[in-house]
Each structure stands twice: as structure tokens, then as C-alpha cells.
Amino acid sequence: MNKLSVKKITKSFEENKVLEELSFHVNEGEFVSILGPSGSGKSTLFHLIGGLYTPDSGDIWMDGERINGQRGSISYTPQSSSLLPWRTVLSNILLGGEIVGQKNEPEALRMIEKAGLKGYEHSYPYELSGGMKQRVAFIRSLLSPQSLICLDEPFSALDEFTRLEMQNWLLSIWEEYKRSILLVTHNIEEALYLSDRIIVLSGKPAKVKKEFIVPFPRPRQESIVLSEEFLQWKKKIYNEL
């Protein structure tokens, strides 16, 4: 079953057409990445799915329900962790459930421990490193009631080693919970390593240029990024971009 269906979405801002008849889907429990050149409308797409913008034409469906312009349908992790500085790690994580009256503190504490953050439950964001903040932000998304998580380049601000550590951590958590994830990234390696499918967008106005089914088995092994097959896939996707 499709978790998310985006059907022939077009969006312009005055004379600037950003998306044109863009269509794709995300299946239940699937990890899908969107790659595209800078300015191709990837962030606009997330704003449309999240209900902050309404498409000029086309429809967005979630679990069989049309959600054009409807907020609260997705859980969202932005490029910066966007933690509330006056709330502790635990209270930031509980925020999504708190809004809808579904606080689950025991599960939040379990996830904090699984994320290697035990002992930081009552710390504030300024006391955390960049990687720790992103773990908190992702746990918050995971424990929010929405069934689709949208990740907007969540690791772009991290150094290469922290990024790889975070990717491995994200995969381990996703393998356990199998939530549907839609990731926007500029990083081809990241998309290949994490995803089931990769959707490549054209330049503006963005359309789906190509779709790739990632062939690597799960659970993913870190060693695949050094393999010849991985490099060939990276070249293939690079040429499309």
C-alpha cells in the first residue's frame, strides 16, 4: 500500500514555476530519497507535503486521504535540529506526542538510551554536540504520531565521520521501527547507502527525471560504500544529475 502519493503536482511563485506535474510515491515502511540540483524545488515539495503550501494543481494523498494544504500529516526533521532551547532533551522528544495528548515517556527514555544519550535526558540543547542534537531531533520525529517522516538534509551540517556514524545509527533505528521515510539530500552516497529507491529530479521546473531501485541487501554493511558496484551506481546517478 502507498503511504504517500504525490500526483501531478504543479507549484509556482508568481512567474517562477518550481514544480511541474511531479508524481511519485512512498510505500509503507519504505525508505525513499530525493536527489536534485540546487534550487530544484526539493524544500518546496516538503512544504507542500507538510501543508504549508497548497499546490496550484495536482493532489497529495496520505493513507488514501487527500491532504492538500492540510498540516499535521507528517513528522519533519529539518537541516538544523530545531530543538527548543528552553526544553530538555526529554521534553523536546516528547513534544510531538504532547501536542496530540499521546506522551510516551517510557518509550522516549528507551530511545534516548538506544541513541547513546543516557544521562543527557535533562540536558539542554546548548550542552549537546551537533550529532547529539540530530539524534534528539530524529527520536522526536520517530515518536511523533504521524506515520511518514520527512528528513530534509538532516546530516548536511555534520563532518564526514559524524555523518557516517549518524547514517548507521539511523539505519539501525529504521530497521527496528520500519517507518516510511522520505529523505531529501544532495549527497549521492548518502542516498545510495540509506535508500530502497532514489528519485532524481530535473532542474526547474522540477519533474521526476529518473527513478532507481537500490540493489544492495539489508541490513546494509558499511563496507558496501567502498565496493566497485557502489561506485558504478554512484557514477550512474551522477550522470543523471
Side-chain angles (χ1 to χ4, degrees):
M1 175 185 171
N2 289 354
K3 171 59 60 181
L4 171 74
S5 293
V6 173
K7 297 184 177 179
K8 295 190 173 181
I9 289 294
T10 297
K11 182 64 180 178
S12 299
F13 297 96
E14 297 178 348
E15 301 303 310
N16 181 20
K17 184 179 279 188
V18 181
L19 306 175
E20 183 173 32
E21 296 211 337
L22 179 68
S23 298
F24 69 93
H25 70 277
V26 178
N27 292 323
E28 183 76 45
E30 191 178 27
F31 200 129
V32 175
S33 288
I34 293 180
L35 282 170
S38 293
S40 61
K42 299 185 295 295
S43 293
T44 298
L45 177 61
F46 268 7
H47 288 146
L48 286 162
I49 296 169
L52 298 177
Y53 300 156
T54 302
D56 301 334
S57 62
D59 291 307
I60 303 167
W61 296 80
M62 183 82 71
D63 295 326
E65 178 188 351
R66 185 174 177 270
I67 60 166
N68 288 29
Q70 182 178 310
R71 300 186 185 189
S73 300
I74 64 167
S75 178
Y76 178 65
T77 300
Q79 292 179 32
S80 60
S81 57
S82 297
L83 302 178
L84 299 178
W86 60 88
R87 295 182 73 123
T88 63
V89 165
L90 179 59
S91 58
N92 263 292
I93 285 171
L94 291 172
L95 181 62
E98 196 175 295
I99 291 169
V100 295
Q102 294 180 10
K103 267 171 63 168
N104 187 347
E105 190 167 320
E107 181 64 7
L109 290 169
R110 190 181 80 81
M111 288 294 296
I112 287 170
E113 183 171 0
K114 191 172 177 64
L117 295 172
K118 187 172 175 60
Y120 289 93
E121 299 88 342
H122 305 296
S123 298
Y124 289 89
Y126 75 89
E127 300 176 276
L128 308 179
S129 69
M132 292 164 77
K133 288 177 186 175
Q134 284 303 95
R135 289 181 191 224
V136 173
F138 184 70
I139 295 170
R140 179 177 60 187
S141 292
L142 200 61
L143 292 183
S144 293
Q146 298 86 357
S147 57
L148 176 72
I149 299 174
C150 289
L151 305 177
D152 189 355
E153 296 191 73
F155 310 138
S156 60
L158 304 177
D159 65 78
E160 187 175 346
F161 294 107
T162 307
R163 177 194 282 254
L164 184 57
E165 180 189 332
M166 286 297 299
Q167 289 168 355
N168 287 328
W169 177 79
L170 173 59
L171 281 179
S172 71
I173 296 293
W174 178 79
E175 289 285 350
E176 179 178 350
Y177 284 82
K178 276 296 195 295
R179 296 281 287 280
S180 301
I181 291 182
L182 181 62
L183 169 72
V184 160
T185 179
H186 285 102
N187 190 302
I188 298 173
E189 280 192 15
E190 182 167 84
L192 269 173
Y193 186 48
L194 296 176
S195 311
D196 296 308
R197 276 188 300 124
I198 297 171
I199 295 163
V200 177
L201 300 185
S202 66
K204 255 197 264 184
K207 302 176 179 178
V208 174
K209 190 177 180 187
K210 190 87 172 181
E211 182 178 305
F212 295 95
I213 297 173
V214 179
F216 306 115
R218 295 194 185 275
R220 296 275 155 86
Q221 302 298 319
E222 195 177 314
S223 58
I224 66 165
V225 302
L226 300 174
S227 69
E228 183 62 31
E229 186 183 8
F230 192 91
L231 182 60
Q232 291 305 318
W233 273 91
K234 185 178 176 181
K235 285 180 181 175
K236 189 185 298 187
I237 295 169
Y238 178 81
N239 289 334
E240 280 297 333
L241 286 167

